[in-house]
Amino acid sequence: MERNLRNVLVISFGFLLLFTAYGGLQNLQSSLHAEEGLGVASLSALYAALILSSMFLPPILIKKLGCKWTIAGSMCCYIAFSLGNFYASWYTLIPTSVILGLGGAPLWSAKCTYLTIAGNSYAEKAGKNGKDIISQYFGVFFLIFQSSGIWGNLISSLIFSQASNKVELSEENLACCGAYDCTTDTSNTTGSAEPSSSLIYTLLGSYTASGVLAVLLIVVFLDQIKPDQAETEKEILETPSFWSTFLATFQHLKDKRQCLLIPLTMYSGFEQGFLSGDYTKAYVTCALGIHYIGYVMICFSAVNSLSSLLFGKISQFTGRKLLFAL
């Protein structure tokens, strides 16, 4: 197998293992840690840290450590989040969520940089167009990576379905789920009793092991950037100063189109937050039981992927505005 493609596969399966754990655990946060809204608060802290990380950490870490070790180190931040869930409290979950958020931006930036360098390197040797090879590499990556939504959720549902303390939900309690969940004491409206500690630890152990395997895969099998590729890496990482980048962000607001995209982008974020935080807790855990979250989110992931393919084809006939509205 061609070496650059092998490296792409190593990164792809590393991300698959890592996000099999993180994706499944993210969807369970509001249900596993419902008391005082700890689960939702942890996700909020996570994405707040991710915003800060995106502004300045990626170019610094990639320049100092290189792509390979930035990816490996950032993956360890995700493992810390899994470990924080073993003893969930405000003093463990919030700090580990912040750690994950700080590692998120360098992880994705290093991945993109590595795939770009690998694509250009192979294109130069094969005499092909760099953009075409890079697109192929990213296609391979996302083909493998996107399946993590299936495996992570499947693991959680299979483990929690072994619980022996499932209870039937009365019509009276069922009426307090969904849209009416926020007006009642949620501790009395759960369709399934809290999973046993042993099942929770089994799940967290599986997720942690998946994350550790991801790190080992990267450390052992991913090639470091070669000296003859250093110039390419240097060119990619040559970025303006922090303040230049910060001010450039606001200069985009002069463009009316950019301003009109902001509400759409924010809506997308609200939608994802509602799905992984409120929907799973009020509509799935409350009415069906926590062991159904994985199955429901697998359906979401599958339809999401199919819709992406479908609407990508349809957009050339309808235009984007109609699809945005839909």
Side-chain angles (χ1 to χ4, degrees), residues 114-128:
Y114 196 102
L115 294 187
T116 301
I117 293 172
N120 283 328
S121 174
Y122 176 72
E124 187 176 346
K125 293 177 184 176
K128 296 182 179 180

Side-chain angles (χ1 to χ4, degrees), residues 57 74 91 99 174 181 202 213 232 240 271 277 282 299:
L57 269 184
S74 298
Y91 302 105
I99 290 172
L174 187 61
D181 181 67
T202 299
L213 283 175
T232 308
E271 183 183 43
C299 291

